[in-house]
Amino acid sequence: MVICKFFMQGNCRYGNSCKFEHPSADNTGYAYSAQRQLFGNSGNRYKWSSNDYQKQQGPKQGQGQVSSADVVNVIINEMTEWEKNKMWPFSCMAFEKEAPCIPDFVDTSPEELRLAAYEALKDNNIQPYIQQVQSLSEEYSKKRQMIRQANLTLRQKLIALIDEYRLKKSRSSQPSGLFSAGSSTNNPFGNQLSFMSSTFGNAPTQPSQGLFGKDNPSTASAFPSGSSGFGTSAFGATPSVGIGSSPAPGAYPSSNSSSQGIFGGNQAAGSFGAQAQPFGSSPTPSAFGATSSAFGATPSQGLFSAGASQSPFGSGASASPSPFGSGANSTSSVGFSKPNTSGTGAFRQSNASGASGQPSESDVTSTVYTPIDKLTPKELAEFKAPHFTLGNLPTKPPPKELCF
Amino acid sequence: MSIFGSANTSFGPSTNYSAMKDIEVQSPPDDSVSCLKFSPGTNMPSTFLIAGSWDNNVRCWEVQQSGQTVPKAQQTHTGPVLDVDWSDDGTKVFTASCDKTAKVWDLNSNQAIQIAQHDAPVKTIHWIKAPNYSCVMTGSWDKTLKFWDTRTPNPIATIQLPERCYCADVKYPMAVVGTAGRELIVYQLENQPQEFSKIESPLKFQHRCVSIFMDKKSNAPTGFAIGSIEGRVAIHYVNPTNPKDNFTFKCHRSNGTTNGMQDIYAVNGISFHPVHGTLATVGSDCRFSFWDKDARTKLKTSEQFDQPLTACDFNAQGNAFAYATSYDWSKGHEGFDPNKKPHIFLRSCFDELKPSMKKT
């Protein structure tokens, strides 16, 4: 059956009664599998690798990756099925594999609940346990329902979060190949390593509470002050600092003292708040404006403070793939524009240091921007207009041409 | 048996029952079985099986060549027992409990002494035997990983975890810990335990069980299989020669009654065959399955039992597979039927776990 292209874009108005197929998470498993069906593949259903998708599916938006809007659709589907498929209800859930968890879905294991039940029984008062389970149950149903019936704001927010970590990942993963060569010998556990006694016990206390704090630590330490240069300026807080401390491309001094100060949670959050102002005129709340969102847990704070301190280039460009990217892009161009200035665009600069392991320009551009000819006239009109119209927010990143 | 000072024979006999015609272990625990561990193969005249239970007890059986079991001894915690492990020489058993302590149980003297203390229930326990040190690693819901030399009341090292410890495995020199919130951390244990890498979980839902596997040629730990509540297992090499070596597969699912939708059950346990390198999974769907990760094929799925399967293990020679049927709380307190008693079965399995012939 033909898969509905509007569904894949996330806005089929026929819903369940659509005559085209809306692939569900159930028979497909993960996000990628929706496409896999299309290409009728794999006699062996236990055989699955993430690269199947890339082999079979032509590049979409310039990358072999499901679009963020599609990921949101798959999530919505999975949330729907979760209510019915008898799966353990109190689980976190990732956007997709190897991705962060969706905020606000916290793990509770069967054993933890069981112990609560046993302790309640021991106290001869099972009531608190029953109530705990009930409220947990309601809470999770409610959260799932919110996702299932995601309004535009929530959808945008999810898409923004997905774009966020994807960009971060594409930036952090590529350099690691070059710089962590030392640790990628064939047998990681055969190396004789010597440790300072002081590191024993305190080394792994990584601040991974934030959504995006899961980067390879070796990557983070390889570029600590590179991150300060690019990261700060991207948020427009103090561009002069960003430029001043920005190292020459390819040189990555290892002192990370300054990055800590610059990316202290408050400041990052504060400057990000300011950065969101350009979108104030937008009729819908900003995707990053956490307060008005359905998930009021202000994930952006932990998200951006952690992200900035860990990923060198992630935060700089992270804002740009958002639907409201135009404002952020102009800001980041200030930060990046060291020698070759703003005219040619923010990412020329990062391409200059691409020799030291960064993603190539085409990669960056294709993820960050939508080619102008890939936009529908409606979307293009939205991007060109001074304000977005409610209900017509484009879910694709803006075209490069309109960003500068 | 000489190594057991006081053999406890107070267990009563019970009826044999298995959908798979496997041999039932005598005098099973009174409540759900949380963990099963066979004794290590080294220098042991016979094989022993340890089971931890939600009835607060740890039991030990001698397993005879015939598959018959003889109850030998038991120890008690003040809370449910969540994990057990053996010392490498097979003389001691380590037990982790919801009473926030861990104990060492000396089988020779049948004495159990507390060796660890956490601020929350201890979910995992493993014996680490390195050339220059040996210790017990405990993982807890208090979000720490602690290392104990078993003689002093304070840990020799503490590692903060990002979240509550849900599962862990140790095969020197590798340790891997899966936590709540889908965190996945690999440690290397040479000289001292040290974080090796954090891994973006290939699974989308709650981590539940993890098991390290060996490289077939070098016999060194090279990766792990991790299972989640979403009826899915990921095979993950720590340093894959090809990114495609890492993959996930669905398991422990069944076709539901409603419009062809699949019911999805948790993977409760994973165990690798010590000789073949194939693996077994047990699930909330009341079945076990055998898999060949290299050929990426399923070797066998069991009949459906009357209760979920909560734990499994292979013995050191790889000819016996132990599995426990008991309630796993996957349907909360409403799903708990106290009339259904836990069972532990032993299956002769050596041939069933031979790798698939059709290699890819």
Side-chain angles (χ1 to χ4, degrees), chain A residues 26-31 44-49 51 55 74 78 81-82 84-88 90-101 106-115 117-118 122 129-130 133 183-197 199-206 208-209 213-215 217, chain B residues 31-32 54 78 80 82 98 121 123 141 143 156-160 162 164 166 173-174 179-183 186-188 190-196 198 200-208 220-221 229-230 232 238-239 241 243-244 246-250 260-265 291 295-298 327-330 332-333 336 360:
Chain A
D26 167 50
N27 50 6
T28 57
Y30 287 161
N44 183 354
R45 65 194 187 96
Y46 304 109
K47 190 164 182 172
W48 188 90
S49 75
N51 294 338
K55 277 188 286 180
V74 172
E78 273 182 301
E81 315 238 322
W82 198 352
K84 294 177 274 183
N85 62 15
K86 301 186 183 170
M87 197 166 82
W88 178 249
F90 312 123
S91 171
C92 63
M93 180 181 175
F95 287 102
E96 52 191 335
K97 66 186 286 189
E98 288 159 10
C101 295
V106 180
D107 267 338
T108 306
S109 64
E111 287 73 25
E112 285 166 292
L113 278 190
R114 184 176 201 161
L115 180 62
Y118 279 38
K122 213 160 54 183
Y129 162 77
I130 303 272
V133 174
S183 65
S184 60
T185 49
N186 266 346
N187 183 359
F189 300 97
N191 298 341
Q192 192 70 15
L193 300 167
S194 59
F195 302 107
M196 309 283 287
S197 61
T199 58
F200 191 34
N202 64 10
T205 53
Q206 296 276 341
S208 47
Q209 295 289 16
K214 289 177 212 159
D215 278 46
Chain B
D31 200 351
S32 297
W54 280 84
T78 54
L82 296 180
C98 287
K123 182 66 177 65
W141 291 339
K143 304 184 187 179
I156 51 174
T158 301
I159 289 179
Q160 289 295 322
R164 288 154 286 156
Y166 273 0
M174 185 201 282
T179 72
R182 294 173 56 255
E183 301 279 350
V186 176
Y187 300 90
Q188 75 82 31
E190 264 173 295
N191 291 330
Q192 288 175 348
Q194 177 89 6
E195 178 172 320
F196 179 76
K198 277 197 165 68
E200 299 266 16
S201 177
L203 298 172
K204 289 180 75 174
F205 294 91
Q206 186 174 111
H207 290 162
R208 187 139 179 82
I229 57 130
E230 190 221 1
R232 194 179 281 273
V238 173
N239 273 318
T241 43
K244 276 188 262 174
N246 293 337
F247 65 100
T248 71
F249 62 90
K250 292 181 197 171
M261 206 172 69
Q262 266 184 336
D263 289 340
I264 296 178
Y265 298 91
W291 311 84
R296 300 192 186 183
T297 50
K298 179 156 72 179
Y327 186 51
D328 59 1
W329 218 255
S330 54
H333 58 285
F336 188 32
T360 50

Side-chain angles (χ1 to χ4, degrees), chain B residues 198-341:
Chain B
K198 277 197 165 68
I199 292 169
E200 299 266 16
S201 177
L203 298 172
K204 289 180 75 174
F205 294 91
Q206 186 174 111
H207 290 162
R208 187 139 179 82
C209 48
V210 67
S211 187
I212 292 173
F213 59 81
M214 304 298 205
D215 183 85
K216 268 191 172 164
K217 287 186 192 118
S218 68
N219 205 31
T222 184
F224 57 86
I226 182 159
S228 77
I229 57 130
E230 190 221 1
R232 194 179 281 273
V233 168
I235 301 291
H236 192 96
Y237 290 82
V238 173
N239 273 318
T241 43
N242 181 340
K244 276 188 262 174
D245 292 346
N246 293 337
F247 65 100
T248 71
F249 62 90
K250 292 181 197 171
C251 50
H252 301 292
R253 301 181 176 206
S254 71
N255 290 327
T257 44
T258 47
N259 54 44
M261 206 172 69
Q262 266 184 336
D263 289 340
I264 296 178
Y265 298 91
V267 184
N268 288 333
I270 302 174
S271 190
F272 277 90
H273 193 274
V275 177
H276 299 315
T278 48
L279 66 149
T281 60
V282 295
S284 289
D285 65 340
C286 313
R287 294 173 197 273
F288 65 78
S289 295
F290 298 152
W291 311 84
D292 181 341
K293 72 172 168 49
D294 302 312
R296 300 192 186 183
T297 50
K298 179 156 72 179
L299 301 170
K300 182 189 188 65
T301 294
S302 73
E303 303 288 315
Q304 190 167 19
F305 291 85
D306 65 330
Q307 294 179 83
L309 270 63
T310 47
C312 65
D313 195 29
F314 289 105
N315 70 345
Q317 293 76 33
N319 51 19
F321 175 64
Y323 58 96
T325 65
S326 54
Y327 186 51
D328 59 1
W329 218 255
S330 54
K331 293 181 177 62
H333 58 285
E334 286 120 332
F336 188 32
D337 179 358
N339 294 320
K340 285 187 178 173
K341 291 299 173 197

Side-chain angles (χ1 to χ4, degrees), chain A residues 299-324:
Chain A
S300 56
Q301 182 151 354
L303 193 154
F304 286 105
S305 52
S309 61
Q310 289 226 337
S311 165
F313 309 104
S315 50
S318 60
S320 35
S322 95
F324 310 102

Side-chain angles (χ1 to χ4, degrees), chain A residues 153 156-165 212 235 269 272-273 275-277 279 284-293 295 298-301 303-304 317-325 328:
Chain A
T153 316
Q156 300 286 359
K157 187 182 176 67
L158 290 170
I159 288 173
L161 287 168
I162 294 164
D163 289 340
E164 172 77 31
Y165 73 71
F212 294 88
F235 287 108
F272 192 79
Q275 186 252 354
Q277 274 178 352
F279 313 129
T284 50
S286 155
F288 297 103
T291 44
S292 62
S293 82
F295 295 104
T298 62
S300 56
Q301 182 151 354
L303 193 154
F304 286 105
S318 60
S320 35
S322 95
F324 310 102

Side-chain angles (χ1 to χ4, degrees), chain B residues 57-108:
Chain B
N57 294 322
V58 190
R59 287 170 171 76
C60 177
W61 296 263
E62 183 184 351
V63 182
Q64 296 168 341
Q65 280 298 316
S66 63
Q68 294 301 318
T69 45
V70 182
K72 282 291 178 184
Q74 74 173 31
Q75 283 291 340
T76 303
H77 271 273
T78 54
V81 177
L82 296 180
D83 201 12
V84 295
D85 198 15
W86 286 83
S87 64
D88 58 295
D89 61 2
T91 62
K92 296 183 190 72
V93 168
F94 306 98
T95 59
S97 166
C98 287
D99 66 16
K100 304 177 190 174
T101 70
K103 290 181 177 177
V104 57
W105 176 15
D106 186 331
L107 295 174
N108 286 312

